[in-house]
Amino acid sequence: MDREKMLSYILDSYPYPIVFVDCEHIIRYMNKRAEYHYYQERGYRDLIGKSLFNCHQNPKSEEMIKSCVEKLKNHANEVFLMVNGRNERIYIVPVRDDLGDLIGYFERFEMNLQK
């Protein structure tokens, strides 16, 4: 099995959406759960290659995401965004190259166990 296919299977087995976005905020990858969430539940189509801000059209959301990405560029490990309507905590996680430079980011979801 080639490495790309193996990584795709690993990411598809994760029970939460994974959407990888480059530093220009262009969506480059979605796992199966993200495709289901955005395409089936939210009605979007063909998001790969499009701006993340096609989904996050609220100016406050765009400003918050851009602010978080600036923190990641300054070597933050991950940045907490919010708790969503499904009671999931959402973080933005950096993806870095071998030199430690930011090449993109993804949202990480987890159940919010705090009251």
Side-chain angles (χ1 to χ4, degrees):
M1 175 182 324
D2 69 19
R3 182 181 171 136
E4 186 174 323
K5 186 58 98 176
M6 180 179 61
L7 290 173
S8 178
Y9 289 148
I10 291 168
L11 294 172
D12 284 343
S13 71
Y14 190 66
Y16 297 103
I18 296 174
V19 178
F20 174 73
V21 181
D22 67 19
C23 290
E24 301 300 319
H25 310 288
I26 303 300
I27 298 170
R28 298 298 178 187
Y29 174 83
M30 299 171 71
N31 72 348
K32 295 287 185 204
R33 181 66 185 105
E35 289 175 352
Y36 180 81
H37 174 72
Y38 288 102
Y39 297 163
Q40 302 301 316
E41 294 179 345
R42 296 193 58 196
Y44 291 103
R45 294 285 176 257
D46 304 320
L47 293 175
I48 302 294
K50 295 187 178 152
S51 172
L52 176 69
F53 302 121
N54 288 352
C55 301
H56 296 278
Q57 296 176 345
N58 179 325
K60 285 187 177 187
S61 295
E62 184 173 338
E63 181 181 316
M64 182 171 51
I65 291 167
K66 287 181 177 180
S67 173
C68 289
V69 171
E70 284 305 311
K71 291 177 186 175
L72 297 178
K73 287 179 181 177
N74 290 315
H75 300 286
N77 288 327
E78 73 178 6
V79 179
F80 173 74
L81 277 179
M82 68 177 152
V83 175
N84 68 12
R86 294 181 178 196
N87 198 34
E88 297 167 330
R89 294 171 63 82
I90 304 174
Y91 298 84
I92 290 186
V93 180
V95 177
R96 300 185 188 285
D97 65 14
D98 292 336
L99 300 174
D101 295 325
L102 187 69
I103 61 167
Y105 57 94
F106 66 92
E107 291 177 323
R108 181 176 71 80
F109 295 78
E110 65 181 31
M111 286 305 302
N112 181 34
L113 301 177
Q114 297 178 358
K115 298 267 177 184

